[in-house]
Amino acid sequence: DAKTTQPPSMDCAEGRAANLPCNHSTISGNEYVYWYRQIHSQGPQYIIHGLKNNETNEMASLIITEDRKSSTLILPHATLRDTAVYYCIVMKTSYDKVIFGPGTSLSVIP
Amino acid sequence: KAGVTQTPRYLIKTRGQQVTLSCSPISGHRSVSWYQQTPGQGLQFLFEYFSETQRNKGNFPGRFSGRQFSNSRSEMNVSTLELGDSALYLCASSWEAAGGSETQYFGPGTRLLVL
């Protein structure tokens, strides 16, 4: 079973912030939270990752709660091209048996 | 820097045949992982290679195998193909630093159809 739970789907108005939640209540101290997205069955695209501090890059921000049991990916100004399935995973090393859940299907609406 | 490349992009085979898929990681990356993605099972981890050694393996039958070459390029092989092997096969590479997690970068995938 996946170590994370996400809502199956969400809608967001174009130009508004999209806030995608992820629950990872069993995360261990040395596991990172990673976010990927997949558009039209292309290969998943890396978005952002973090251990315990909030992170920001040119694509998104990642907010991790203090107890690390949940996190939120924020796309600050969603566009139609952000319509995709977003996966939240936890991982220690590159050779972990990474378990992807079903993710959140985000639809950005004009 | 070029991304992860996978060949071929599309493949049609018949039951009982075997298939070999190829993955070239990002230059300098030494870890290569393989995943299978199907509508019913989602993204599933197949195996991971580093320095020509398999370090981890998912729950797939022995018909699924792989290898890695000294230049970090990797191949996966599926023998005695079954209809259920129809899927998108994804390869991901990472640099592998000492300690800490490593970001995996995915290729575009090979879409295999078994008839």
Side-chain angles (χ1 to χ4, degrees):
Chain A
D1 289 345
K3 294 182 178 181
T4 61
T5 54
Q6 300 175 251
S9 63
M10 292 181 64
D11 291 338
C12 177
E14 189 178 17
R16 304 296 295 267
N19 297 289
L20 291 89
C22 179
N23 185 292
H24 32 79
S25 57
T26 61
I27 192 170
S28 58
N30 55 358
E31 284 183 315
Y32 289 73
V33 179
Y34 273 83
W35 284 84
Y36 287 84
R37 72 181 182 183
Q38 190 173 26
I39 300 171
H40 295 310
S41 291
Q42 298 172 16
Q45 177 190 24
Y46 165 75
I47 302 172
I48 198 167
H49 75 283
L51 185 61
K52 49 180 126 176
N53 297 322
N54 298 339
E55 301 288 343
T56 296
N57 63 19
E58 64 279 3
M59 288 182 69
S61 295
L62 174 60
I63 308 297
I64 303 175
T65 57
E66 196 167 332
D67 63 8
R68 302 212 322 127
K69 292 185 177 181
S70 65
S71 61
T72 301
L73 177 75
I74 301 172
L75 306 178
H77 304 288
T79 71
L80 298 178
R81 286 178 295 180
D82 293 322
T83 293
V85 177
Y86 287 77
Y87 297 100
C88 165
I89 61 173
V90 295
M91 188 165 68
K92 281 197 297 290
T93 64
S94 63
Y95 57 91
D96 276 353
K97 281 187 189 180
V98 179
I99 302 174
F100 282 79
T104 295
S105 178
L106 175 69
S107 297
V108 179
I109 302 165
Chain B
K1 191 182 272 192
V4 177
T5 57
Q6 293 186 245
T7 57
R9 293 293 311 279
Y10 303 93
L11 204 48
I12 299 175
K13 292 284 188 179
T14 56
R15 278 180 296 175
Q17 287 187 309
Q18 74 160 15
V19 66
T20 299
L21 311 181
S22 181
C23 172
S24 292
I26 292 171
S27 178
H29 285 194
R30 297 192 294 166
S31 169
V32 174
S33 298
W34 287 89
Y35 295 83
Q36 181 197 64
Q37 186 173 32
T38 60
Q41 299 296 320
L43 259 164
Q44 292 186 288
F45 174 80
L46 277 157
F47 27 65
E48 187 266 354
Y49 287 87
F50 178 80
S51 290
E52 303 177 65
T53 301
Q54 185 184 90
R55 291 194 298 188
N56 212 339
K57 188 176 187 302
N59 299 324
F60 279 82
R63 299 186 297 108
F64 291 82
S65 63
R67 59 178 176 168
Q68 185 181 35
F69 302 95
S70 58
N71 62 358
S72 295
R73 191 176 69 84
S74 177
E75 290 181 347
M76 67 162 283
N77 184 276
V78 188
S79 62
T80 320
L81 284 166
E82 300 176 359
L83 296 179
D85 297 333
S86 295
L88 180 67
Y89 290 88
L90 292 156
C91 164
S93 74
S94 63
W95 182 49
E96 185 77 13
S101 189
E102 275 295 327
T103 300
Q104 294 187 11
Y105 294 91
F106 285 80
T110 294
R111 188 164 293 282
L112 171 66
L113 177 62
V114 182
L115 301 176

